[in-house]
Amino acid sequence: MDNTRLIPLRGSERSAHADARSAGAVSDSERIDVTLVLRRRNEIPDALVEGPETTTREELAARYGADPADIDMVKRSAEQHGLTVTEADPASRRVKVSGTLGQLRSVVEADSLTKVTTPDPAHEGHVLEHRQRTGDLRILPEWDGVVTGVTGLDNRPQARPHIQRIEAHAAHTSYSPVDLGKVYRFPQATDGSGHTIGVVELGGGIPEGDLDAYFAELGIPTPTVDVVEVGAGSNTPGAASAPTGR
């Protein structure tokens, strides 16, 4: 396999986990899913990021997402190297591809990719085995300036759950969305129509039935909830593991 023509991906340098312990080599036959992040066709204006301008997901994809020509080129070259394209999303600028490590080496390669063990951030005293890459990535020359990031080769845990411990004698107060609306003096009859709120879930997931029950108790309709899985993370209710990334 000739991968001597691969060129450096700017900004891709990655350091080793401080507590990593070697667990052997990654086999070329191991199947890996990676996400290619593509450039925007236009930069998002500050007025849209900070307000007051708003946009729909469709408009975001059309104006500021990945160019369809870029997506087609990346998909075509990935498939020419034996990889399977599993998803392409212009709005998030992501193209997901799957293949063996041996196949992936023909389009993207790390300075070093090994198996290691590190402390499990979700369970004290336990360790996790995962892939770890260090140094820079190299990609196909035709992807230069088009592919801005690659995730998935390194699947180390990316987040640690933080659980607040409350002493038995301490007062515990919780607030519903309706309560918070009163605290922050939202206008009367405000129901969030036309607005989107992002909630980051670090591991586990949200059962649809729980959402219905929660909003029913508040006496308000259940909003539309779209689950956006990032990298190797997934909506897995009841799971305690933290999401992983590049």
Side-chain angles (χ1 to χ4, degrees):
M1 172 183 16
D2 179 17
N3 54 7
T4 58
R5 57 191 289 262
L6 300 184
I7 63 173
L9 174 61
R10 293 184 294 273
S12 64
E13 184 177 2
R14 192 158 176 80
S15 301
H17 190 293
D19 299 315
R21 298 290 181 268
S22 176
V26 181
S27 170
D28 272 1
S29 63
E30 181 170 333
R31 194 161 192 87
I32 300 176
D33 299 322
V34 301
T35 299
L36 309 174
V37 183
L38 277 55
R39 64 186 174 186
R40 294 189 184 280
R41 58 169 64 188
N42 294 296
E43 289 302 313
I44 299 179
D46 292 341
L48 190 57
V49 176
E50 302 172 1
E53 290 186 15
T54 61
T55 188
T56 65
R57 193 176 193 276
E58 291 73 20
E59 291 172 339
L60 181 70
R63 297 180 182 177
Y64 310 110
D67 191 309
D70 286 346
I71 292 179
D72 288 344
M73 182 273 290
V74 169
K75 289 172 59 179
R76 185 169 56 253
S77 56
E79 289 170 345
Q80 288 173 347
H81 287 83
L83 299 170
T84 301
V85 177
T86 59
E87 183 182 334
D89 181 34
S92 63
R93 301 176 291 123
R94 296 181 300 172
V95 175
K96 294 185 177 182
V97 301
S98 178
T100 65
L101 177 59
Q103 291 171 319
L104 285 167
R105 288 186 193 277
S106 64
V107 299
V108 57
E109 186 173 34
D111 284 344
S112 173
L113 182 66
T114 59
K115 285 189 176 181
V116 297
T117 59
T118 57
D120 184 345
H123 300 90
E124 187 174 353
H126 295 188
V127 297
L128 294 174
E129 181 177 291
H130 56 84
R131 297 185 303 272
Q132 173 182 268
R133 77 167 181 86
T134 56
D136 293 312
L137 290 174
R138 292 178 297 282
I139 59 174
L140 290 172
E142 55 265 41
W143 289 2
D144 187 30
V146 176
V147 174
T148 61
V150 180
T151 66
L153 285 175
D154 186 321
N155 63 343
R156 74 183 75 179
Q158 295 296 298
R160 173 189 295 273
H162 292 276
I163 300 175
Q164 182 180 16
R165 293 197 173 116
I166 303 174
E167 298 296 334
H169 62 271
H172 175 62
T173 303
S174 62
Y175 298 91
S176 74
V178 176
D179 294 331
L180 291 175
K182 295 176 182 177
V183 171
Y184 287 97
R185 299 178 182 176
F186 288 172
Q188 292 294 320
T190 298
D191 62 4
S193 297
H195 296 274
T196 300
I197 297 175
V199 178
V200 178
E201 174 68 30
L202 301 179
I206 306 172
E208 185 175 340
D210 286 5
L211 288 173
D212 292 337
Y214 176 72
F215 285 102
E217 185 175 340
L218 293 177
I220 56 179
T222 303
T224 300
V225 178
D226 294 322
V227 176
V228 180
E229 298 179 350
V230 179
S234 62
N235 185 42
T236 311
S241 58
T244 58
R246 77 177 182 181

